[in-house]
Amino acid sequence: MENSASRRRVLQGLMASTIVIGFNLVKREWITSASAASEFESLPPLDGVLYTDSAARAAAADDFGHLIHRYPIAVLKPASVEDIVKVVRFARTHKLKVAARGQGHSSYGQPQVEAGIVIDISSLNTIHHLGREWAEVDAGVLWSQLLQLSLAQKLTPPVLTDYIELSVGGTLTVGGIGGTSHRYGVQVDNVIELWVVTGAGNLETCSRFQNKALFTAVLAGLGQCGIIVRAKIRLIKANPNARVFLLFYNDLTAFTRDQRLLVAQRRFDYIEGQVVPDASGGWRYMLEAASFYTLPNLPNNNILLSGLSYTQGTEMIEDKSYFDFANRLASTVAFLKQSGVWFYPHPWLDLFVPGTVAERFVGSIVANLTLADTGQGPVLLYPIRTNRLKLPLFRVPKEEVVFLFSILRTAPPDASTISRMLADNRTFFERNRDLGGYRYPVGAIPFSPADWQQHFHSVWDQLLSAKRRYDPDNLLTPGQGIF
Ligand SMILES: Cc1cc2nc3c(=O)[nH]c(=O)nc-3n(C[C@H](O)[C@H](O)[C@H](O)COP(=O)(O)OP(=O)(O)OC[C@H]3O[C@@H](n4cnc5c(N)ncnc54)[C@H](O)[C@@H]3O)c2cc1C
């Protein structure tokens, strides 16, 4: 009943009147509601729903960046992994492109597809198992959801992103960096096993020990070889409390020197940092560190802060629950949503800068940076140690220490400002690339297939052969613009 009802809903939506709903880039022809309906006739019954109404398609033609809009012909909200297998096989037969979508928090069209099918994985959001060392979760589960459940067992994923309302599948597709990455690598380094629907339409499991070629092609693989449907994620013991230190510096070199020292010594559990506005219209630097603890063992502030050269007297120290610390962006996001700023365009720049040139490179940009360039968005700057990073497609400079440098811009909805910011992103990307740096591919940088080939460089052949093997018809994730 449910299956035929959902199929009828699709066909009704499409047949109501014959209109042009898109352009099939593969077949180079216009798609009308009637032609799409006749194509979907052959789709086997689904447990979930394939939406073709304009509201569903418009929602899938947008993301957090609000810079790119590509209209799919349909949006699948799967109710089972089998739905994804069926739709990928259907798409393959009909030469339609497919993009998975987690929470759509990319900034440059990465989860979108023109005249193809978006698979909105947020409807697959069950935590199947939570054990003492790992959790098995659907790809649509949010990190906040997993954290809440794991904390009830005094456990946590080793690495959390700053914002935890992102999907597991979405961050495992890009990497997933956070303030504990100097200790545990990125989120993809903490995955034990994956369930993947490949572009060939096969459901496969993979891990470091079994089907490794698929495992390494999918983690941080930008959705090119498969759709992650389920993941087994490592958990570690969680301390219930966090002591958070904000330390301010006027000098970039002193700031990064302390950051480098702290990550080398692993003195804190968490280290990040930001370039923040100062009172005189310039910039200063804020080191953000946290020490996690369980009472009665309080952190010793004197030991933690000894030898650091922040501006004495400006430090801010606060105790929070571990969950409140992990969820620290919730109130800011609520405010930004309420004020509408959250829905402004976000031409974000995210780079990995080689440690040996970080001060020179960042200093030269900050020297000319204004609040108009950032739109009051945060500017992140913090180091990670690359010996913690194990996945080949997570690309960072070949140095012991690299810095994440992100200008998380908010733009007014005005085309000239947006294009200036995108051009700046491109310029900064190129300068960093010429110094041996990489982009972190979540942001908005105009990028060509040749740029991607250069980005993957030493692992390009590996990615290419995985693509040919697992997505032979090049269906998956065209929004990245790689193939
Ligand atoms: C406010 C905010 C804070 C952020 N903070 C951090 C941070 O601290 N650290 C960090 O690393 N990143 C951070 N990000 C970036 C974020 O990790 C990425 O944009 C991530 O991809 C978003 O997850 P999502 O679920 O919204 O994925 P989406 O934007 O929906 O998808 C991202 C890409 O992955 C593909 N994809 C999605 N799900 C799957 C799947 N199951 N299988 C295969 N491919 C899939 C999509 O097609 C797309 O190409 C932040 C983003 C925002 C908006």
Side-chain angles (χ1 to χ4, degrees):
M1 278 295 283
E2 179 59 37
N3 295 343
S4 58
S6 83
R7 180 131 62 107
R8 265 202 309 281
R9 221 170 309 159
V10 169
L11 301 182
Q12 277 167 11
L14 285 166
M15 292 300 282
S17 59
T18 300
I19 46 165
V20 173
I21 59 174
F23 186 74
N24 186 329
L25 289 172
V26 181
K27 294 183 181 171
R28 311 299 305 169
E29 64 189 26
W30 292 103
I31 298 159
T32 63
S33 53
S35 63
S38 67
E39 291 206 7
F40 287 128
E41 283 279 8
S42 58
L43 184 61
L46 301 172
D47 299 321
V49 178
L50 187 78
Y51 292 91
T52 56
D53 59 283
S54 51
R57 290 171 40 241
D62 196 10
D63 55 40
F64 178 74
H66 309 301
L67 298 164
I68 302 283
H69 301 285
R70 301 192 185 103
Y71 283 79
I73 56 169
V75 179
L76 171 69
K77 302 227 177 194
S80 63
V81 169
E82 291 69 36
D83 280 354
I84 299 177
V85 171
K86 284 175 193 168
V87 166
V88 170
R89 287 185 179 170
F90 173 85
R92 198 174 172 201
T93 306
H94 293 267
K95 303 207 175 335
L96 292 166
K97 300 268 181 194
V98 174
R101 181 184 178 93
Q103 288 295 305
H105 281 84
S106 304
S107 4
Y108 210 48
Q110 290 92 334
Q112 299 181 34
V113 54
E114 185 71 40
I117 303 175
V118 167
I119 299 181
D120 178 350
I121 229 121
S122 63
S123 56
L124 280 190
N125 57 8
T126 302
I127 297 177
H128 295 274
H129 177 85
L130 201 132
R132 286 157 64 95
E133 293 182 348
W134 48 265
E136 192 178 307
V137 304
D138 281 342
V141 162
L142 304 181
W143 287 97
S144 59
Q145 192 187 336
L146 172 57
L147 180 62
Q148 264 164 330
L149 206 72
S150 68
L151 278 181
Q153 309 293 327
K154 300 188 169 55
L155 297 168
T156 179
V159 183
L160 291 165
T161 47
D162 295 345
Y163 183 50
I164 53 177
E165 304 304 325
L166 305 169
S167 76
V168 166
T171 68
L172 295 187
T173 298
V174 295
I177 185 171
T180 59
S181 286
H182 70 283
R183 282 175 173 255
Y184 301 109
V186 284
Q187 289 180 325
V188 289
D189 295 305
N190 293 282
V191 176
I192 298 167
E193 194 173 8
L194 288 175
W195 286 251
V196 174
V197 176
T198 65
N202 300 323
L203 174 63
E204 298 192 30
T205 54
C206 55
S207 70
R208 224 171 285 279
F209 308 106
Q210 176 221 340
N211 208 357
K212 188 176 175 190
L214 182 60
F215 191 68
T216 51
V218 168
L219 290 172
L222 306 183
Q224 296 309 301
C225 294
I227 298 174
I228 300 169
V229 292
R230 206 187 266 203
K232 196 191 266 190
I233 292 163
R234 192 160 84 89
L235 298 175
I236 57 171
K237 180 178 167 294
N239 285 293
N241 307 298
R243 179 161 293 177
V244 188
F245 301 78
L246 301 182
L247 312 173
F248 293 88
Y249 296 74
N250 293 322
D251 179 52
L252 173 60
T253 309
F255 168 68
T256 52
R257 193 192 311 118
D258 281 358
Q259 283 185 316
R260 288 169 193 272
L261 174 86
L262 295 178
V263 299
Q265 292 181 339
R266 305 175 84 197
R267 207 191 281 189
F268 288 90
D269 294 296
Y270 166 106
I271 293 286
E272 288 200 7
Q274 292 186 29
V275 182
V276 293
D278 70 12
S280 62
W283 301 96
R284 63 178 176 159
Y285 305 92
M286 180 181 83
L287 197 157
E288 186 188 16
S291 191
F292 304 142
Y293 65 95
T294 302
L295 289 171
N297 300 316
L298 284 168
N300 183 321
N301 294 5
N302 289 338
I303 293 176
L304 288 170
L305 299 179
S306 76
L308 301 182
S309 53
Y310 57 90
T311 310
Q312 297 294 317
T314 58
E315 64 272 25
M316 296 160 72
I317 304 173
E318 193 184 358
D319 287 299
K320 293 181 174 186
S321 74
Y322 180 85
F323 182 79
D324 285 349
F325 175 64
N327 196 33
R328 63 198 173 280
L329 289 192
S331 57
T332 308
V333 170
F335 171 76
L336 293 173
K337 283 187 175 170
Q338 201 187 5
S339 63
V341 173
W342 182 258
F343 307 103
Y344 279 27
H346 292 106
W348 280 14
L349 174 75
D350 299 272
L351 300 175
F352 285 116
V353 183
T356 48
V357 295
E359 291 76 11
R360 177 155 60 92
F361 176 76
V362 173
S364 71
I365 290 176
V366 171
N368 299 305
L369 198 69
T370 66
L371 284 178
D373 295 322
T374 65
Q376 316 263 3
V379 179
L380 309 183
L381 181 63
Y382 65 88
I384 54 170
R385 294 172 71 77
T386 55
N387 62 4
R388 303 276 176 264
L389 308 174
K390 306 289 180 220
L391 271 304
L393 297 184
F394 186 75
R395 306 292 289 151
V396 293
K398 284 190 184 11
E399 292 197 0
E400 206 178 309
V401 173
V402 302
F403 279 77
L404 176 75
F405 178 51
S406 294
I407 306 180
L408 305 180
R409 309 175 194 269
T410 299
D414 124 50
S416 69
T417 307
I418 291 169
S419 61
R420 181 178 55 77
M421 289 181 173
L422 289 173
D424 284 351
N425 285 357
R426 179 72 205 185
T427 305
F428 297 158
F429 157 75
E430 286 178 10
R431 275 166 53 189
N432 183 48
R433 177 198 63 196
D434 295 347
L435 293 166
Y438 286 81
R439 68 176 295 195
Y440 179 35
V442 297
I445 302 174
F447 229 56
S448 69
D451 289 322
W452 282 116
Q453 196 165 338
Q454 189 173 37
H455 173 85
F456 286 109
H457 189 59
S458 57
V459 288
W460 173 253
D461 288 346
Q462 189 180 328
L463 177 62
L464 192 60
S465 81
K467 181 75 174 173
R468 287 186 182 136
R469 177 171 170 193
Y470 297 112
D471 184 20
D473 295 329
N474 188 18
L475 305 186
L476 295 180
T477 324
Q480 300 279 6
I482 302 175
F483 292 102

